[in-house]
Amino acid sequence: MNNITIGIRDVIREFDITKNKIEFTNDLNIFLNISAFNESRGEYYDIIKSNFNNYMGKWEIDINNKFLILSKYIKCRKLPYKIAKDEGFEMIKSEKFIISMLVELYAMNIIMDNENISKQELSKFIQSELELNNLKIAAKDIILNDLDYYFKDKKLMHLCRENIVKNEKKLQDALEKTVKEVERRKKSK
């Protein structure tokens, strides 16, 4: 039972989100990502619980009753962020974990700056940037599937972009810290 993967659809179903699912997915992803870089003391789950209603308030979710599914989702999809917040970047042992954070934060920052970008263009650009920085990862491993919702249609992408831009500073800070960690790891090899 512990090996079951929990995806965003499970969270949407458990949170009883029936409208604006893509906007919810975007809001939740941004919130979970920037929570790992929250400067206040406390562990990742505590930060999420204490800030959930401030950030996700428009969704009217009682997080205390729904936290179990969210914590399972985090373990399946956002574990590197949890480790970074709770134990520090240096405790992320998997290179793939740190690169997955880098790719996701980088993609969000690129989407912020480009109104009309395709998934293929984004993937190629990220691949070229990784190669430029001597980070080896196969194109098939650039996991943009979790960001598929950005590319569903122009109206939805505009909505998602709006929320990313609202969190521009926090997302740029998160990306900068992740890039510094990747550079630190490259130097220590």
Side-chain angles (χ1 to χ4, degrees):
M1 187 79 173
N2 288 342
N3 293 335
I4 295 175
T5 299
I6 303 293
I8 193 64
R9 288 189 177 126
D10 301 304
V11 174
I12 288 169
R13 189 173 32 256
E14 188 72 25
F15 281 18
D16 199 27
I17 304 296
T18 55
K19 294 180 182 172
N20 305 321
K21 294 176 186 177
I22 291 173
E23 189 180 354
F24 171 79
T25 300
N26 185 56
D27 286 354
L28 184 64
N29 271 319
I30 292 169
F31 173 64
L32 294 177
N33 292 357
I34 63 178
S35 292
F37 300 91
N38 186 303
E39 296 295 325
S40 61
R41 291 181 174 254
E43 293 190 348
Y44 188 64
Y45 288 153
D46 297 333
I47 299 293
I48 289 169
K49 283 181 184 175
S50 63
N51 293 312
F52 192 86
N53 289 329
N54 293 339
Y55 192 88
M56 300 289 291
K58 74 178 178 185
W59 299 101
E60 298 177 4
I61 296 167
D62 181 358
I63 190 60
N64 295 320
N65 291 331
K66 306 288 184 180
F67 195 74
L68 182 61
I69 189 76
L70 186 58
S71 65
K72 288 179 180 179
Y73 174 72
I74 289 166
K75 283 180 186 169
C76 290
R77 304 287 182 184
K78 300 291 182 179
L79 190 57
Y81 294 92
K82 181 183 180 324
I83 296 169
K85 175 65 180 159
D86 293 348
E87 302 171 40
F89 271 117
E90 58 278 355
M91 296 309 290
I92 299 175
K93 302 298 182 206
S94 166
E95 180 133 330
K96 199 165 186 171
F97 267 16
I98 197 81
I99 291 175
S100 72
M101 285 177 73
L102 181 67
V103 167
E104 186 175 24
L105 292 167
Y106 199 34
M108 285 183 166
N109 277 275
I110 292 169
I111 289 167
M112 186 186 326
D113 295 333
N114 297 278
E115 280 189 48
N116 297 312
I117 191 164
S118 72
K119 187 176 177 183
Q120 292 75 21
E121 290 170 322
L122 185 59
S123 183
K124 281 182 189 172
F125 184 73
I126 290 172
Q127 182 66 40
S128 68
E129 286 294 306
L130 290 172
E131 287 171 7
L132 190 67
N133 290 294
N134 296 320
L135 295 171
K136 305 287 183 231
I137 183 168
K140 66 179 174 48
D141 289 333
I142 294 182
I143 302 166
L144 294 177
N145 292 340
D146 286 351
L147 301 176
D148 270 346
Y149 56 87
Y150 287 116
F151 306 101
K152 295 287 185 199
D153 68 42
K154 295 291 178 202
K155 185 180 175 189
L156 290 171
M157 187 173 201
H158 178 73
L159 264 179
C160 292
R161 242 185 112 251
E162 230 172 65
N163 196 24
I164 288 175
V165 171
K166 242 189 328 193
N167 290 282
E168 179 177 4
K169 178 80 174 106
K170 290 178 182 175
L171 285 166
Q172 285 176 341
D173 288 348
L175 177 62
E176 283 175 26
K177 288 177 182 173
T178 307
V179 167
K180 283 180 186 169
E181 176 59 19
V182 169
E183 288 171 352
R184 184 193 67 77
R185 286 170 183 244
K186 278 177 30 182
K187 286 178 186 170
S188 67
K189 281 188 175 181

